[in-house]
Each structure stands twice: as C-alpha cells, then as structure tokens.
Amino acid sequence: MKILFHHRIASRDGQWVHMTALIEALTAQGHQVVMVGPAPLSTMAFGGESRLVAALKRTIPRAVYEVLELAYNMIAFLRLRRACLLVRPDVIYERYNLFLLAGVAVSRLHRLPLLLEVNAPIREERARHGGLSLTGLAAWCQRTIWRGADVVLPVTGVLAGHVRDAGVAEDRIVVIPNGIDPARYAVVPSREAARERLGLGLGRRLVLGFTGFVRDWHGLERVVDLLAQSGEALDLHLLVVGDGPARGDLEARARRLGVAHRLTVTGIVGPEWVPVHIAAFDIALQPGVTPYASPLKLFEYMAVGRPVVAPDTANIREILTDGDNALLFDPARPETMTAAILRMCSDRTLRDHLATRARATIERRGLTWPDNARRVVQLARQAVARGAKQEHPAHWTGLPRRR
C-alpha cells in the first residue's frame, strides 16, 4: 500500500519514537510510507524540540498561539494535498493533534480513507495541564477531527470511551495499544552485563528502575522515601532513566533524606540505550499513570523481562493482571505501592515468575510495532474496499462529500 503519514510533531521524544517505529515496521513489510509534517526531526538530538515552537509558547499569549495552530492548517493542507497529487496514496494515516483539521479536509477532497491514531484527548489534557484559552473552538476541532476519520485508533479502551462520547460510531473505533520493536529486544544483556556496560556503580544492589520524562505526578518521591526508610538492610538503589521538571525536587529530596548515593538520574538517553538500562533493573516501576494512556515504558519493561509494579487502573488492566504478569497497587493508597515493592524485593521467585509472564504477554498479545503495522494495513484495506463514504457528518460543511 501507499500510505501518507501525516503529523504535526515538533519534538524528538516519545511521540517521535512511536511514529518512527510504526513507519519502519510498515516499510519493512513492503509498504510505501511518505511522511508529511513539519521539518524533519532526524537532525535533532533526542529530547529536542523546535526552537520556534518553544519560543512562541514562551512569548505570546495562549489564545494567539492557539490561533496560530489553527492557521497552520493552511500550510498543512497545501503540503498534504501536494503529497497526495505526487504519491497517489491509498490511504492517509494521521497522528491526531488538536486544531489539525487538514487531514480530514484533504481526505475528503481526494476521497481517501483517513485512519486517525489518537494517543490522548488533547483538548482535556491541555485544559488540565497546559492551559487552553479557546475552549469552545478546541472542543469543536477535536470532535470534528474524530468524527471525520474513517477509522479512529485510540491506544486504550479507556481512551476509546472518550472517542465514543464524542459521537464516533462504535464500528469505526479500533483499539491498538503501543508496542515495542522486537529486533531491539531480541538480545538483551544480563543484569550483571548491563550494569558493567553502563558503569553507573550499581554493583549488586537491588535496583528499582524507572524510564521516561520525570513529572511530579509519577510519584517517584515515594520511592525515594522508601530508600530512606529501608536503610541499608535491602541495599536499594533507584535508577531513573530520563529527565524532566521533577528531577531537581527528586534529587533534593534524596539529599535531604541522606540517600543521594542511592539515587541515579541519567538524564536523556537515546532509544537504543533504553533496553540496556532496563536490563540493569531488578524491579521496574510505573508509579503513576495518566488514566487513558498506553505507556511506552510499560511495554519496554515487559519486553526486557523485568517484573513490574504499576497502579491498578483501567488502562493498565488492559495489559497487566495482578499476580500474573505484574503486581498492581491501589493508586488512591500510596502505601500499597510501597508494600508491593517490598513484597517483590523479598521474593526472588515472585520476581522471576512475573518477569517471565510479562515477556510472554508481549508475544502472546502481539504487542509489537510489526503486529500493529499489520493491524493498520488490514484496517486500511478494509476502508479502501468499502469505497468512498456517501455521506459525512452534518457538522462539517463547505467541503466536497465523498461519492
């Protein structure tokens, strides 16, 4: 198939990892994928972002920035339409972004099926975390984009509920969780080899590990408290693979409690180094989670074969089962996370069992990018076979209807 992959990503981070992994899997299976979006991100360092976008966010009023986001559709529309004329694709695949209406518009103009990958209800997310000024316009855009796609692909069943509530028909919603690149995890070093390779001085300590962007809501401060409470008895060490706004507070807390020597924060590492760092863990932590997310770190932990401690939330239960491939704790009771970690620390047999079952879950459930690529292609072919839609939702006017 010929697939136009449309996006508005302006940073080389987890979004970029997800996007490029799926594209590589589609290409490896013989499909032609043409990426259409902002300037190439390949020249950025991992963790970098567009300087222009960052500067605009810092210096202009929020409402003005949102108007600029909407205005970007003129550029996106022309860019995507030009690609349609040159490539003659079978389908458009888009990573959803708030205010990005161009994909729906071009899909209708060229009578092409649109598959829409949804990783978050961005209107709600921005309103809650980053702030949102044009709330009515944002709500209309999100609803219009979701309803305008032929197939909507939320990453969790919880997120599918948001899509359903926006008025998207059930038969147009297909949940596809995140996954891993099996080639990257085919040969993983042993715990001892990984620690020697990293040279972080972990020795024979019992290492609690976390990967990703460090935010306050992750709850890692409770793990630092556990380091202090356990003293020297368990010989615990917290290895944080990543960076983020909560890093300074976390390190300050460790110094205040006298356990700075038991905390290592690596800063940003390239994706190719993530499996090696996870291999150095004894226990992998998902202390907090956004309620609709499909955390990449979770699948990476499982692929390496590390026992996981995670919150007992609906989206996590879509992948993990307490006592089978993880230990789950009640996120409303922080002490239950500590209890789960301590239980795992004291029981090597349990750790081995959970690790084995976690890795088997990846294979059994097909939680890989190649498997996701096959699902996407199957859905794309079905959409093409159905032909152009006869009607479109009445809330979108002024664009040609498919015949």
Side-chain angles (χ1 to χ4, degrees):
M1 297 193 78
K2 292 182 180 180
I3 303 169
L4 286 187
F5 198 112
H6 188 224
H7 72 94
R8 205 198 70 185
I9 294 175
S11 56
R12 196 175 181 196
D13 51 15
Q15 302 176 87
W16 175 83
V17 171
H18 183 161
M19 181 174 70
T20 55
L22 181 58
I23 290 173
E24 288 171 2
L26 287 165
T27 302
Q29 291 170 18
H31 305 287
Q32 180 184 347
V33 184
V34 177
M35 192 184 301
V36 183
L41 303 173
S42 57
T43 56
M44 286 184 186
F46 188 72
E49 64 177 338
S50 166
R51 293 180 181 178
L52 175 61
V53 172
L56 289 173
K57 287 180 179 179
R58 287 196 309 269
T59 58
I60 65 176
R62 189 182 301 148
V64 176
Y65 181 80
E66 291 163 17
V67 170
L68 290 177
E69 287 186 275
L70 193 62
Y72 172 78
N73 279 287
M74 293 184 288
I75 298 172
F77 178 87
L78 293 174
R79 184 183 284 150
L80 189 56
R81 189 178 184 205
R82 183 168 58 248
C84 283
L85 295 172
L86 289 173
V87 177
R88 301 291 181 182
D90 299 299
V91 66
I92 298 173
Y93 184 98
E94 180 173 282
R95 184 183 174 100
Y96 165 65
N97 210 316
L98 190 59
F99 299 118
L100 188 58
L101 298 159
V104 174
V106 172
S107 73
R108 293 183 181 186
L109 181 64
H110 289 270
R111 297 180 173 88
L112 289 168
L114 173 64
L115 275 65
L116 185 72
E117 173 194 307
V118 179
N119 291 274
I122 299 179
R123 181 191 69 83
E124 293 86 346
E125 189 171 78
R126 282 176 56 169
R128 184 169 57 253
H129 297 299
L132 193 65
S133 291
L134 307 178
T135 55
L137 178 61
W140 178 85
C141 284
Q142 180 163 283
R143 190 168 57 247
T144 297
I145 296 167
W146 287 3
R147 292 182 185 178
D150 293 83
V151 185
V152 183
L153 308 173
V155 293
T156 65
V158 175
L159 187 51
H162 287 262
V163 175
R164 196 177 299 113
D165 290 344
V168 179
E170 187 68 41
D171 62 358
R172 290 168 48 217
I173 303 173
V174 179
V175 176
I176 299 184
N178 284 329
I180 55 97
D181 176 1
R184 183 169 286 167
Y185 294 86
V187 180
V188 177
S190 67
R191 186 187 68 164
E192 292 73 20
R195 293 184 182 187
E196 183 176 353
R197 186 174 173 184
L198 294 174
L200 297 175
L202 299 174
R204 298 176 64 84
R205 286 180 171 176
L206 198 62
V207 174
L208 313 176
F210 172 91
T211 67
F213 202 57
V214 187
R215 297 186 184 275
D216 290 336
W217 57 262
H218 279 130
L220 286 171
E221 72 281 355
R222 297 197 297 272
V223 183
V224 171
D225 292 346
L226 174 59
L227 300 182
Q229 293 162 9
S230 63
E232 302 296 318
L234 292 177
D235 200 17
L236 298 180
H237 194 97
L238 174 59
L239 174 58
V240 177
V241 184
D243 210 332
R247 174 179 180 171
D249 289 343
L250 195 68
E251 291 174 326
R253 191 184 194 93
R255 288 192 297 270
R256 188 167 62 253
L257 294 175
V259 291
H261 62 296
R262 294 191 175 276
L263 169 66
T264 300
V265 183
T266 65
I268 294 171
V269 303
E272 67 278 6
W273 278 96
V274 171
V276 180
H277 283 81
I278 296 175
F281 298 175
D282 288 290
I283 300 167
L285 304 178
Q286 175 81 58
V289 68
T290 306
Y292 46 75
S294 177
L296 281 171
K297 65 170 65 65
L298 190 63
F299 303 98
E300 293 169 339
Y301 294 163
M302 297 167 71
V304 173
R306 288 298 176 265
V308 177
V309 173
D312 189 2
T313 57
N315 56 329
I316 294 297
R317 288 195 301 273
E318 292 178 30
I319 303 298
L320 299 179
T321 302
D322 184 42
D324 175 49
N325 53 9
L327 286 187
L328 304 183
F329 62 89
D330 182 354
R333 300 168 57 212
E335 69 277 10
T336 62
M337 182 183 77
T338 300
I341 294 173
L342 289 174
R343 178 185 171 193
M344 207 178 275
C345 286
S346 63
D347 192 337
R348 175 63 183 270
T349 301
L350 176 64
R351 296 201 302 271
D352 290 345
H353 167 76
L354 296 176
T356 299
R357 293 291 296 163
R359 189 159 192 175
T361 301
I362 294 287
E363 183 175 352
R364 177 173 54 83
R365 295 278 304 275
L367 299 172
T368 72
W369 296 120
D371 284 303
N372 283 359
R374 282 186 281 271
R375 295 178 184 116
V376 166
V377 169
Q378 181 182 15
L379 291 167
R381 285 177 172 153
Q382 290 171 355
V384 170
R386 283 195 300 269
K389 289 181 183 176
Q390 295 300 311
E391 293 294 333
H392 281 292
H395 65 273
W396 183 292
T397 59
L399 289 173
R401 293 184 182 276
R402 293 182 189 144
R403 301 294 180 189

